[in-house]
Amino acid sequence: LMFGVFGYENLQGVLQDVGHYQEEGARRLLPKIERFGGAILADSTGLGKTWVAMRLFVHYATLYKNFKVAIIAPNQVVDNWQSELKGCGLTSPNGYHISVIEHGFLQQKAISEKHRQLLAADLVIIDESHNFRNAASRRSGLLRSLLKICPAPVQDKPLKPRKTLLLTATPINNALEDLRAQLALFLMPKNELKKLPGNFAMIFKNGLPVEDTVKDFLNLKTFGPVNLEDRGLPEVKSPD
């Protein structure tokens, strides 16, 4: 699948030091992302998941003009991501459109540019995705809800989510349900998908969208987007 333009000759002056096993990992991920809309890379710490992800950036940027990427990373590694991207030449002047967004933006009460960067992305990378293993938490519900707002389809093609790649060394912490919650970030029922409107403001006109299933865990009585101005919504674990 699209391997004809997936060789070292297309690295455009970046990532020449990518390892053979990292290149092979990216090659194996690609058909899964194309088939299922996303994939999970669950390599151990130190094996270069960041480099595999960056290899995929370059591949898609080679194929598609103005291809946009949003990386959602833990607060403490945002600087590391930015440093790696800069060091490898994956910057705007070189034609790469990549936003690095910290996990903490999902706890913010106010709507920010980061929400728009996520929705504008063609590919979303979720670093340390095991942090979203609790399907009933507000931040997991908010992230799922945002990812269900899909880019407008081309011509008469069906609506489908943006491409998603999950990175984690520990996909299962306590139970198999941990993995299921993470896979739900891209394996979504078609009837739950929504089209991204041309006007971003329409998405947030009533606040940030959080799924009704999450609201049930939070004992909220209202439907539609949650108003975050009058209460802090804590992490709430699913009942046993």
Side-chain angles (χ1 to χ4, degrees):
L1 240 173
M2 298 189 291
F3 285 168
V5 291
F6 202 80
Y8 284 97
E9 66 276 11
N10 290 298
L11 289 181
Q12 300 179 348
V14 299
L15 294 182
Q16 292 97 333
D17 295 329
V18 65
H20 174 73
Y21 69 94
Q22 293 161 339
E23 174 85 4
E24 182 62 24
R27 285 178 178 271
R28 293 190 178 199
L29 282 170
L30 180 61
K32 294 176 175 60
I33 292 174
E34 291 300 315
R35 180 179 178 183
F36 300 108
I40 182 167
L41 176 58
D43 284 347
S44 299
T45 301
L47 291 181
K49 292 186 291 295
T50 298
W51 281 76
V52 175
M54 291 193 296
R55 184 63 186 89
L56 286 168
F57 301 167
V58 175
H59 169 72
Y60 282 117
T62 301
L63 285 182
Y64 305 110
K65 186 178 180 180
N66 296 322
F67 190 83
K68 296 180 178 63
V69 178
I71 303 168
I72 304 175
N75 299 29
Q76 64 270 24
V77 301
V78 166
D79 289 343
N80 294 343
W81 268 104
Q82 292 172 336
S83 177
E84 291 279 8
L85 292 169
K86 183 177 180 180
C88 293
L90 298 178
T91 59
S92 295
N94 291 334
Y96 297 97
H97 308 283
I98 304 173
S99 302
V100 184
I101 308 169
E102 72 279 6
H103 282 187
F105 96 100
L106 293 166
Q107 302 292 354
Q108 295 174 359
K109 295 182 179 181
I111 297 163
S112 70
E113 181 62 23
K114 295 170 184 176
H115 295 89
R116 293 171 176 80
Q117 290 172 343
L118 170 60
L119 291 174
D122 300 294
L123 170 67
V124 174
I125 309 296
I126 304 175
D127 193 12
E128 298 194 23
S129 62
H130 54 269
N131 286 301
F132 299 95
R133 67 185 181 277
N134 179 6
S137 70
R138 186 188 71 84
R139 68 176 180 177
S140 294
L142 176 54
L143 181 56
R144 275 198 311 275
S145 295
L146 289 170
L147 292 174
K148 286 179 181 179
I149 302 173
C150 307
V154 178
Q155 297 179 344
D156 296 327
K157 292 186 177 181
L159 197 64
K160 61 180 181 179
R162 58 188 50 75
K163 303 177 193 301
T164 305
L165 176 63
L166 312 181
L167 307 177
T168 178
T170 53
I172 300 175
N173 288 60
N174 301 309
L176 193 59
E177 189 66 24
D178 297 347
L179 179 60
R180 180 180 176 184
Q182 293 169 74
L183 295 177
L185 294 171
F186 64 85
L187 294 176
M188 303 175 181
K190 292 183 179 179
N191 63 346
E192 295 182 9
L193 302 179
K194 301 177 182 178
K195 181 180 177 181
L196 178 66
N199 184 357
F200 276 118
M202 292 297 295
I203 303 170
F204 305 115
K205 64 180 181 179
N206 295 318
L208 295 172
V210 179
E211 292 181 326
D212 290 335
T213 52
V214 177
K215 295 177 203 175
D216 290 340
F217 284 109
L218 298 173
N219 295 318
L220 298 177
K221 304 300 182 183
T222 59
F223 294 91
V226 173
N227 184 348
L228 301 182
E229 296 300 320
D230 56 356
R231 68 167 75 195
L233 299 181
E235 291 277 316
V236 177
K237 293 185 177 180
S238 170
D240 294 331

